[in-house]
Amino acid sequence: MRIRHPAAIAASEITPRALFDRRREFLRASAGLALSTLVPQAEARLGPGKPSIYSTSEAPTPLKHVAGYNNFYEFGTDKEDPAQYAHALHTRPWTVSIEGLVQKPKTLGIEELLRLAPLEERIYRLRCVEGWSMVIPWLGFPLATVLKQVEPLGNAKYVELVTAAQEDTMPGVKRHVLDWPYTEGLRLDEAMHPLTLIAVGLYGDVLPNQNGAPLRLVVPWKYGFKSGKSIVKIRFTESEPRTAWMKAAPREYGFYSNVNPEVDHPRWSQATERRIGEFFKRRTLPFNGYGEQVAQLYAGMDLRKQF
Amino acid sequence: MNQAWLKPPIFIASLLPLAWYLWGLQADALGANPIEAVTRGLGTWGLNFLLITLTVTPLRKYSGWAWLARLRRMLGLFAFFYVCLHLTTYLWLDQFFDWTAIVKDIWKRPFITVGMTAFALLLPLALTSNNAAIRKLGGRRWQALHRSVYVIAMLAVLHYSWMVKADLAKPLLYAGLLAVLLGLRIGWRVRERNRQRNAIPPAKTRHTIPIGVRR
């Protein structure tokens, strides 16, 4: 007996290849349309941003996790606290003062900062010192763009980043878990490195407050805590700044804090990590997989001692 | 008064934390890092049951509800149950049974060392939580063995506080509760010793103490 197999899908039902290839654009456009008709006052989307050669092709972590599982101790020390409380953060008006060892100190408003350079999409891995990791599509521009505005002096060797400590909006600031305001720092060559990003958005949209709105640092080869959130001041210094975590536990957190599977946190191993959404753990890569771009910054240094 | 009927509902209630995590896993309701949530949650419940078990005796003494003593073994075994599950999540979901890594971890990480020590000390208590063991060991020796639960609870709180990055609020809360529970027992001991010292001495020596000196 002859069995006929009818075609499962009529040819007319199949999406033409050209349209299929543009499906993301279509979704994005329709999402944008839906948003603009439903909430006309909603902030305009920032994205999609120029694609970057520095982006990874790994699957990005879903937005609900990127914006729902955060360490932002100013809003509380539980991972869910920032998403719960950060809506109160005042993000406008917002200025960033750039000062210290510079020719032309400046205070830039967030609007000016957003006009400094075209936004790029940088899909970076993020490795937390606690042993988990994500892949996040940031929107932003190199920190170098900002630093060049003020003409650093010859003796400037480091930049210190000071972040917001709004007592009225940040419940965590009332408790002395860390020395507020939270500060971080980079050596000048690290700060000027093209991978070092000022992020103002993620997933094509304005940065959620819990991720460090309106602007934050992203240094993808270092543990996440180096990437300070909600920055209000950038100061050029000659000596190495003492960061908030170095003050809290100098034995556990060094100035460099490069992702390094060989150098354990004194209390736990850094050899592996759990990518959010995955069951098995992954091997952690030196410099979080950015060694090709940044390893030469540390040539000749003993990274066990200068951790 | 016979409160035996209370045992089954308390047994069921003691399983609710486990039910919550099992439900949460399949409903994807445990946030971005469900494995971490389960590992920490089960550890917390192990510690909760340790403290609940240690509350039984003070509560019995102050309330006069003698029947509470009958719940102590079950609650203690639930502490062991949750600690076992907590340990399993570490061995399986954190280390994937990589025994060399586990041994290294126990050796190198003080908070793991302390946690493992607490588990090793808890094991004989769980194994002797039956009437046969009490008969075999004799009441006194059994009781002496089971007093190690005080040390175990202290190690458990230490294990928790050494794991935390900066915010010690919750470990300190547990430390405070434990201090109260252990402090009560020290108080009873001191009072008991004083009572014995001031008690009427044995007949043999009674007359050697001049009347009027006592009290």
Side-chain angles (χ1 to χ4, degrees):
Chain A
M1 209 211 301
R2 190 132 146 247
I3 300 168
R4 280 173 189 274
H5 293 281
I9 307 168
S12 60
E13 299 269 299
I14 297 171
T15 311
R17 181 62 194 247
L19 261 180
F20 176 78
D21 286 343
R22 291 178 56 210
R23 65 198 183 280
R24 281 165 204 279
E25 237 173 277
F26 172 76
L27 282 174
R28 217 175 271 148
S30 43
L33 190 70
L35 207 71
S36 61
T37 49
L38 288 173
V39 239
Q41 72 275 38
E43 263 186 283
R45 278 177 65 85
L46 287 177
K50 264 193 335 184
S52 164
I53 51 160
Y54 295 118
S55 286
T56 169
S57 56
E58 289 161 276
T61 305
L63 178 60
K64 65 169 178 175
H65 296 330
V66 174
Y69 187 76
N70 308 96
N71 278 325
F72 197 163
Y73 279 14
E74 286 84 339
F75 291 106
T77 52
D78 284 342
K79 294 283 189 298
E80 291 75 21
D81 286 340
Q84 193 179 343
Y85 300 114
H87 60 88
L89 182 78
H90 309 302
T91 59
R92 295 291 188 284
W94 193 277
T95 57
V96 179
S97 148
I98 312 171
E99 54 185 58
L101 303 173
V102 297
Q103 202 75 256
K104 296 192 289 184
K106 267 186 189 175
T107 299
L108 295 172
I110 183 68
E111 295 75 15
E112 289 171 86
L113 283 158
L114 283 167
R115 280 195 300 268
L116 279 184
L119 295 184
E120 293 176 44
E121 183 180 63
R122 299 270 185 106
I123 308 172
Y124 280 166
R125 290 177 289 276
L126 173 116
R127 167 64 155 80
C128 178
V129 72
E130 295 165 1
W132 51 267
S133 64
M134 293 186 181
V135 175
I136 304 176
W138 301 106
L139 270 179
F141 45 84
L143 174 63
T145 319
V146 185
L147 301 186
K148 281 172 191 158
Q149 301 292 311
V150 293
E151 298 171 27
L153 296 174
N155 57 344
K157 302 249 164 37
Y158 297 90
V159 289
E160 183 188 37
L161 291 117
V162 183
T163 68
Q166 298 178 357
E167 285 199 23
D168 55 334
T169 66
M170 296 173 150
V173 172
K174 292 185 193 89
R175 298 183 49 225
H176 292 278
V177 175
L178 291 172
D179 188 11
W180 313 117
Y182 186 85
T183 59
E184 257 307 335
L186 295 171
R187 215 169 56 190
L188 198 53
D189 57 345
E190 298 176 323
M192 297 296 286
H193 194 279
L195 277 175
T196 305
L197 195 73
I198 286 291
V200 294
L202 57 82
Y203 267 107
D205 241 321
V206 173
L207 211 54
N209 288 355
Q210 60 269 33
N211 293 89
L215 82 165
R216 64 168 293 168
L217 186 69
V218 180
V219 195
W221 71 92
K222 292 175 181 283
Y223 293 117
F225 66 85
K226 290 296 289 182
S227 299
K229 300 181 177 83
S230 306
I231 296 166
V232 294
K233 197 181 284 180
I234 301 172
R235 188 187 294 134
F236 288 74
T237 64
E238 187 164 9
S239 54
E240 187 184 278
R242 269 186 88 217
T243 69
W245 278 106
M246 287 165 78
K247 287 184 212 167
R251 220 174 58 83
E252 302 188 353
Y253 304 98
F255 176 76
Y256 289 95
S257 293
N258 294 315
V259 175
N260 191 342
E262 306 284 315
V263 178
D264 289 337
H265 185 281
R267 290 187 283 154
W268 54 81
S269 163
Q270 294 292 26
T272 61
E273 67 198 50
R274 176 165 279 115
R275 178 72 51 85
I276 294 303
E278 291 182 355
F279 180 75
F280 290 105
K281 288 179 134 187
R282 295 167 171 251
R283 297 229 142 266
T284 289
L285 302 171
F287 300 108
N288 200 21
Y290 297 96
E292 216 178 294
Q293 287 89 1
V294 300
Q296 84 282 354
L297 294 177
Y298 310 101
M301 278 173 63
D302 183 351
L303 296 178
R304 284 184 177 279
K305 293 207 176 95
Q306 293 183 292
F307 58 91
Chain B
M1 226 189 332
N2 185 11
Q3 261 78 9
W5 63 271
L6 265 170
K7 230 171 169 176
I10 291 174
F11 184 91
I12 302 286
S14 301
L15 285 171
L16 288 180
L18 176 64
W20 158 258
Y21 288 109
L22 289 177
W23 173 83
L25 277 181
Q26 66 89 33
D28 193 18
L30 298 176
N33 201 346
I35 294 177
E36 181 194 70
V38 168
T39 305
R40 296 198 176 165
L42 293 170
T44 303
W45 277 100
L47 185 52
N48 289 345
F49 274 100
L50 269 179
L51 294 194
I52 291 170
T53 310
L54 286 173
T55 311
V56 169
T57 301
L59 196 60
R60 177 178 60 79
K61 286 205 175 186
Y62 294 119
S63 67
W65 298 337
W67 51 270
L68 277 171
R70 292 167 170 274
L71 297 173
R72 196 170 63 166
R73 176 186 294 170
M74 183 177 80
L75 294 167
L77 284 170
F78 267 112
F80 180 68
F81 173 68
Y82 280 101
V83 166
C84 283
L85 292 174
H86 173 60
L87 177 62
T88 307
T89 56
Y90 164 75
L91 297 176
W92 176 26
L93 303 172
D94 199 57
Q95 301 292 335
F96 291 94
F97 303 113
D98 178 348
W99 297 105
T100 18
I102 291 165
V103 170
K104 228 174 84 182
D105 226 23
I106 297 172
W107 184 249
K108 275 183 82 175
R109 323 266 166 236
F111 89 99
I112 305 273
T113 317
V114 163
M116 284 294 178
T117 309
F119 174 75
L121 291 173
L122 195 57
L123 195 59
L125 304 201
L127 294 176
T128 55
S129 283
N130 52 71
N131 294 339
I134 298 175
R135 269 196 305 275
K136 210 169 167 195
L137 284 167
R140 238 167 215 287
R141 273 198 296 169
W142 184 90
Q143 205 177 19
L145 173 67
H146 280 246
R147 285 215 174 99
S148 63
V149 73
Y150 306 143
V151 177
I152 292 166
M154 288 192 268
L155 291 175
V157 172
L158 196 61
H159 168 65
Y160 185 16
S161 60
W162 278 354
M163 185 213 70
V164 164
K165 246 168 57 183
D167 186 0
L168 283 169
K170 281 183 204 160
L172 283 176
L173 177 68
Y174 278 98
L177 289 172
L178 182 61
V180 170
L181 292 170
L182 298 185
L184 286 173
R185 288 168 166 85
I186 293 170
W188 299 337
R189 282 223 138 182
V190 171
R191 221 168 308 154
E192 176 65 17
R193 196 170 301 162
N194 288 344
R195 197 185 60 82
Q196 279 179 7
R197 196 182 300 148
N198 296 332
I200 300 165
K204 237 175 28 187
T205 55
R206 183 175 291 180
H207 301 295
T208 62
I209 298 168
I211 288 166
V213 168
R214 265 196 333 257
R215 266 179 215 266

